[in-house]
Amino acid sequence: MDASQLIDGDLTTEAVLPRPEAGKPQYVQVAVDSPLTVRTVAITPGKGFSDCAGEIEVSDDGSSFRALRTFAIPRNQSGPMYVTTEKPATGRYFRV
């Protein structure tokens, strides 16, 4: 999958992820060229999605991640959901 579809800023762009297998967490990882400080992540559900939940994580090296915040998206969410962390976090790798 081309992960650039997930961060292109266009709410009509979709990336379809396969269903996760039991016991195997599924995530999307985004790497940036230089450290980026974030406080809010916008998650926009696609068409026909069901309830889902997850965690936002950050890393400096792409190997050791720390949790920033959990989230849950209700079935009726039709637009972007903005997930704000307790404190700004800086890193080069982000997982949702």
Side-chain angles (χ1 to χ4, degrees), residues 1-15 17 28-31:
M1 170 186 36
D2 179 3
S4 67
Q5 296 172 322
L6 300 174
I7 59 172
D8 69 358
D10 182 351
L11 298 181
T12 64
T13 302
E14 289 187 357
L17 306 175
V28 173
Q29 181 170 305
V30 176

Side-chain angles (χ1 to χ4, degrees), residues 12-93:
T12 64
T13 302
E14 289 187 357
V16 179
L17 306 175
R19 288 195 174 275
E21 296 178 30
K24 293 184 179 180
Q26 183 181 45
Y27 60 86
V28 173
Q29 181 170 305
V30 176
V32 293
D33 293 330
S34 57
L36 177 69
T37 300
V38 300
R39 171 93 193 223
T40 303
V41 174
I43 301 172
T44 305
K47 298 175 198 144
F49 92 104
S50 59
D51 297 348
C52 65
E55 184 171 62
I56 299 170
E57 302 174 326
V58 63
S59 172
D60 297 319
D61 60 9
S63 297
S64 177
F65 283 82
R66 61 190 182 279
L68 297 179
R69 169 132 187 230
T70 59
F71 65 89
I73 301 176
R75 179 179 303 261
N76 62 354
Q77 183 77 28
S78 60
M81 179 175 162
Y82 298 96
V83 181
T84 301
T85 61
E86 187 175 319
K87 299 178 194 175
T90 302
R92 286 197 50 233
Y93 302 86

